[in-house]
Amino acid sequence: MLKDGIGENTEKKEACEAFVNFLSQPDNVVRNMYYIGYTSVIAGGEDDTLFDYAKWCYEAEEDEEDTIDYDVSYFFGKSDCFITASADQAERQLYAQYPPEEVLQRCAIMEYFGPETTKKLNQMWINVRCFNPFRD
C-alpha cells in the first residue's frame, strides 16, 4: 500500500483503510499472531482479546509450582495485567514477545528517514546480505 500506488484515488484509499481496520480488529490480530508467531503492535484497547490470548499462550497450569507473575501492563495499557507463567518462561518466549519495560526503554525505534537516506540504508542492507569477502 505505497502512497504512490494510491495517489488521489479515493476508492483505493478507502479500500486500504478498510484493510488496515480489518487487520487491526483484535480477533484478526490474534489470528495473525497465531499464524506468524509475532507480537502485534496493537494491544487491543479496551478489548481483552489480545491479553487473553497472551495468557492462553503463556499462563502456567494451575498445579504448576515454580511460577512468577510476569507484568505486561505496560504493553496492554492497563494496570494489573499479569501472566502467571512458569519461571523458566520469563527467560524464553514470553520474555522475547513481551520484554520487560526496562528492556524496552533501552531500545530504539526506527523512523522514516526520507527517500535519500532510505536509499542509502537499502544499499547498505544489500551490501551486508550480498557481499561475501570469503567467496571464491
Side-chain angles (χ1 to χ4, degrees), residues 88-108:
D88 67 334
Q89 194 57 266
E91 297 177 11
R92 294 185 346 187
Q93 188 68 24
L94 178 58
Y95 180 91
Q97 286 203 267
Y98 302 99
E101 193 170 12
E102 62 270 9
V103 170
L104 292 179
Q105 292 182 10
R106 299 189 320 248
C107 297

Side-chain angles (χ1 to χ4, degrees), residues 76-135:
F76 292 100
K78 300 175 188 174
S79 60
D80 298 330
C81 281
F82 292 90
I83 296 174
T84 302
S86 301
D88 67 334
Q89 194 57 266
E91 297 177 11
R92 294 185 346 187
Q93 188 68 24
L94 178 58
Y95 180 91
Q97 286 203 267
Y98 302 99
E101 193 170 12
E102 62 270 9
V103 170
L104 292 179
Q105 292 182 10
R106 299 189 320 248
C107 297
I109 297 173
M110 185 179 282
E111 297 179 18
Y112 179 66
F113 298 107
E116 197 57 38
T117 303
T118 299
K119 184 177 176 180
K120 291 176 184 175
L121 288 170
N122 287 339
Q123 185 59 53
M124 288 169 48
W125 177 240
I126 289 168
N127 293 346
V128 167
R129 285 186 319 165
C130 300
F131 179 67
N132 182 350
F134 303 105
R135 192 181 312 161

Side-chain angles (χ1 to χ4, degrees), residues 31-61:
R31 286 184 184 101
N32 199 30
M33 287 174 59
Y34 180 78
Y35 183 75
I36 62 174
Y38 292 160
T39 305
S40 172
V41 297
I42 298 167
E46 296 301 314
D47 190 317
D48 287 334
T49 302
L50 276 83
F51 178 61
D52 292 342
Y53 177 70
K55 286 180 72 166
W56 178 79
C57 289
Y58 299 113
E59 190 88 357
E61 299 294 325

